[in-house]
Amino acid sequence: MKIGVLTGGGDCPGLNAVIRGIVRRGVSEYGHEFIGFRDGWRGPVENDFRPLTIESVRGILPRGGTILGSSRTNPVEMDGGVDRIRENLKAAGIVGLIAIGGEDTLGVALEMNRSGVPVIGVPKTIDNDLGATDYTFGFDTAVNIAMEAIDRLHTTAESHHRVLIVEVMGRHAGWIAFHAGLAGGANVILIPEQEFDLDRVCEYIERRFKDQYSPIVVVSEGAKPIGGFDSGRQVPADAFGHERLGGVAHWLEGEIERRTGKEARATVLGHVQRGGTPTAFDRVLATRFGLHAIEAADQGHWGKMTALRSTRIELVELADAVAELKTVPPELYQEAEVFFG
Ligand code: F6P
């Protein structure tokens, strides 16, 4: 049968490994044919695709990004978007889609499946905030990139007796900040799940300087102080209604200097966390998701998503995967607090 593949939302390392896994197994074991839609849901809406063959997926395993391109196109909000996809798939003889994405792309996948377009989901996001799977691929790579940055910032912070603040990605969930901060020996970790008390943060910083060490503060882009703050940014929201975040590290820089009298500097890691080659963990997880996604399609398990449960890959309902965001539980965050200050 003919199956379409697409990658949507923010890219992340490991997307190509999934595509390769799907195509390699799908062609050699099941004899299926593959179409790769370009730029997420834009591809099936505008009928923009390329054939995916074993030859075309050779050599892509270690490559970051996605050979198919990505976008935040939302066909559910478009006039006639879902119908156009249905018609385009029918005309091309495509039986179903494998959609690789995060909460937004998989939310659309669920809607499509409900409206009669068979879809199987594969969870990806560096944020690791999807429910129903223990981990998403891309997260381990992002954490390692952030950890390495923190390691480097420690030495320059010590040389200059500065407070260095590292802003990492994480809109609603602080998984990257929590893991990278813990692995990198941060002195304060601030996450979106818990509004932070700036006085407390400054106390930690002063305590750290008393021990002759320079503090590193790791902050998620979505973290907020009690009472909020003005980032001064005014960028229109994307097609899924998400505002563009960023600015909390620079805001902290000013506040910490003013309150403690210590020089503070912000480093915003941004898209560096999403680029480049995936770690071994992400390559293996992404490959296994791909192999299981095509098996699920072959067996007609539409409406499901591949999920990591302990060390096994299982199939879960797409609806369960997007029902609730997975955030950092308070008791886990508390485990890191012993290292604060
Ligand atoms: O969802 C992944 C993510 O990297 C978030 O951590 C971040 O807020 C967002 O995407 C940034 O998206 P964009 O690259 O579209 O600015």
Side-chain angles (χ1 to χ4, degrees):
M1 63 187 174
K2 211 190 241 184
I3 298 166
V5 181
L6 64 87
T7 53
D11 70 342
C12 82
L15 286 166
N16 288 326
V18 183
I19 298 168
R20 172 177 169 270
I22 293 170
V23 175
R24 284 288 287 271
R25 188 174 193 191
V27 173
S28 59
E29 200 172 321
Y30 302 118
H32 295 319
E33 202 183 321
F34 292 93
I35 293 297
F37 284 104
R38 293 196 176 90
D39 302 340
W41 290 108
R42 188 193 69 75
V45 172
E46 296 179 12
N47 220 11
D48 187 1
F49 60 80
R50 53 175 272 194
L52 284 174
T53 60
I54 288 190
E55 288 67 39
S56 69
V57 299
R58 282 229 165 91
I60 65 173
L61 173 64
R63 272 176 59 190
T66 159
I67 58 164
L68 294 178
S70 193
S71 74
R72 295 194 189 274
T73 303
N74 184 355
V76 174
E77 292 298 313
M78 275 178 186
D79 208 12
V82 175
D83 291 338
R84 284 222 304 270
I85 291 180
R86 199 186 292 109
E87 283 154 22
N88 287 338
L89 296 189
K90 199 169 165 211
I94 294 170
V95 172
L97 291 171
I98 298 179
I100 313 163
E103 52 161 329
D104 298 328
T105 303
L106 296 179
V108 172
L110 178 63
E111 288 303 314
M112 298 299 300
N113 200 69
R114 280 180 177 154
S115 60
V117 176
V119 187
I120 281 168
V122 174
K124 71 87 225 180
T125 166
I126 64 162
D127 295 348
N128 196 39
D129 58 359
L130 272 175
T133 182
D134 291 352
Y135 286 100
T136 52
F137 65 87
F139 172 64
D140 185 64
T141 307
V143 167
N144 276 285
I145 291 168
M147 180 195 71
E148 196 193 320
I150 296 166
D151 286 348
R152 290 175 186 278
L153 290 170
H154 271 296
T155 60
T156 173
E158 300 296 345
S159 307
H160 292 271
H161 317 290
R162 284 172 176 153
V163 184
L164 290 184
I165 306 150
V166 192
E167 184 175 305
V168 297
M169 282 188 171
R171 194 185 285 280
H172 306 291
W175 291 108
I176 298 177
F178 180 78
H179 278 244
L182 201 56
N187 310 111
V188 186
I189 301 170
L190 305 173
I191 59 174
E193 290 85 343
Q194 307 208 6
E195 291 196 339
F196 61 87
D197 176 351
L198 190 54
D199 291 335
R200 189 95 180 272
V201 171
C202 291
E203 273 167 37
Y204 288 141
I205 285 167
E206 280 164 344
R207 201 197 305 165
R208 189 72 182 167
F209 274 116
K210 278 203 188 103
D211 292 341
Q212 307 300 319
Y213 285 111
S214 294
I216 304 285
V217 178
V218 178
V219 59
S220 302
E221 61 182 350
K224 289 187 186 70
I226 295 164
F229 77 107
D230 180 11
S231 72
R233 306 191 80 179
Q234 279 181 338
V235 185
D238 68 19
F240 288 89
H242 301 304
E243 59 173 315
R244 197 180 297 177
L245 296 176
V248 65
H250 284 108
W251 177 81
L252 275 168
E253 186 184 83
E255 289 297 316
I256 289 171
E257 281 200 352
R258 197 168 59 76
R259 287 166 183 244
T260 65
K262 299 288 184 190
E263 188 181 351
R265 298 288 186 91
T267 300
V268 179
L269 290 185
H271 293 86
V272 166
Q273 295 158 95
R274 285 206 331 226
T277 188
T279 58
F281 180 90
D282 281 339
R283 291 183 200 191
V284 172
L285 180 58
T287 298
R288 292 183 71 208
F289 275 161
L291 298 175
H292 283 259
I294 185 56
E295 182 186 54
D298 182 72
Q299 295 176 359
H301 294 305
W302 305 106
K304 307 270 186 185
M305 182 190 86
T306 57
L308 180 68
R309 294 283 175 86
S310 180
T311 57
R312 289 185 315 279
I313 307 291
E314 296 181 358
L315 290 181
V316 296
E317 295 295 330
L318 260 177
D320 293 343
V322 296
E324 218 179 310
L325 273 188
K326 184 178 69 190
T327 53
V328 178
E331 62 279 10
L332 184 62
Y333 183 71
Q334 267 168 21
E335 286 181 14
E337 278 179 337
V338 69
F339 299 107
F340 290 6

